[in-house]
Amino acid sequence: MGYDSKITGIKYMNEVIKCLQDRRSIRKFSDIPIKKDTLEEIIKCGIAAPNGKNKQTWKYTVLSGKSQIDYLEEKILEVLDITKTDSLCGFGNPVAVIIVTDRKNNYNAMANGSCAIANMLNAAWSLHIGGCWINALRTIQDEPLIREMLGQFEIPGNHMVVGMIVLGHLQEDDLPQKPRRRTDVVHFVE
């Protein structure tokens, strides 16, 4: 069952709404690699996200090799052990890691990047790919070891890390329960 948009005349199916309401964070993945064209579709959804004044000042760095991901995890854990500022959870041997960055001088950077991350996580879920938003890298992004590593990944020094997501094929037999959502957070003023 769908409904017709009064604005565009396009018929929208409830599959989109179902995907948005069913999505959950996945921290354990199977060892099956994500096909490159699937990964590209997920990234395109991030690029299609709303952003302030359509400046599109973001940059997406995709790490799909195990050695790159292991190096990223090692550096993050090394700095977190020193700074004790955050923890790294949900890394779970992902097949692909996407780092979303944006220019530091763009006051819409966090909002823009957050919209892109949400689009990518929802797109991934619709393709039966699990994902999780991880903030540890954002927390420690200005530590010298992390800036050096980001430079090796060709992330400009004047960019800030908005967030990072990990993606991988779902382990269907080990999905976490859908989290309960509060229903007392909406107030209609009519």
Side-chain angles (χ1 to χ4, degrees):
M1 178 180 210
Y3 64 93
D4 291 326
S5 168
K6 292 178 183 175
I7 297 171
T8 63
I10 297 172
K11 185 168 186 151
Y12 290 94
M13 302 306 291
N14 285 332
E15 286 300 311
V16 173
I17 293 171
K18 182 179 183 320
C19 175
L20 292 171
Q21 292 180 355
D22 286 349
R23 194 205 66 77
R24 60 197 80 171
S25 294
I26 303 297
R27 293 174 176 85
K28 288 184 183 177
F29 308 101
S30 76
D31 292 331
I32 301 168
I34 299 174
K35 292 179 183 175
K36 186 163 186 176
D37 61 335
T38 301
L39 195 52
E40 287 172 347
E41 283 301 313
I42 293 168
I43 301 300
K44 284 179 188 175
C45 290
I47 293 169
N51 63 94
K53 298 182 182 176
N54 199 29
K55 287 185 175 182
Q56 302 179 52
T57 59
W58 44 44
K59 177 180 170 72
Y60 302 86
T61 301
V62 181
L63 306 177
S64 57
K66 182 161 175 34
S67 63
Q68 297 167 328
I69 294 167
D70 289 347
Y71 176 68
L72 174 67
E73 181 180 28
E74 174 190 318
K75 289 299 176 191
I76 291 173
L77 289 172
E78 183 179 341
V79 171
L80 289 176
D81 189 50
I82 295 166
T83 63
K84 310 276 192 248
T85 54
D86 205 337
S87 62
L88 182 64
C89 70
F91 220 76
N93 192 29
V95 174
V97 175
I98 301 171
I99 301 169
V100 182
T101 66
D102 207 340
R103 285 197 306 238
K104 285 185 178 185
N105 62 359
N106 178 355
Y107 61 89
N108 290 316
M110 287 303 294
N112 295 344
S114 296
C115 287
I117 288 172
N119 269 21
M120 288 186 283
L121 288 172
N122 288 316
W125 187 259
S126 77
L127 297 169
H128 303 287
I129 303 290
C132 185
W133 184 334
I134 298 178
N135 280 314
L137 187 58
R138 182 181 58 79
T139 305
I140 59 173
Q141 66 182 299
D142 290 322
E143 294 293 326
L145 282 174
I146 298 300
R147 273 293 153 193
E148 180 183 329
M149 178 194 64
L150 294 174
Q152 291 170 7
F153 293 147
E154 299 181 26
I155 296 173
N158 70 336
H159 278 50
M160 68 179 215
V161 175
V162 176
M164 175 174 70
I165 62 174
V166 291
L167 298 170
H169 281 280
L170 301 170
Q171 289 183 329
E172 298 287 345
D173 57 342
D174 194 22
L175 287 178
Q177 289 292 321
K178 185 175 155 186
R180 286 187 305 149
R181 300 294 183 193
R182 290 180 53 190
T183 58
D184 63 343
V185 295
V186 179
H187 175 70
F188 286 98
V189 178
E190 297 179 21

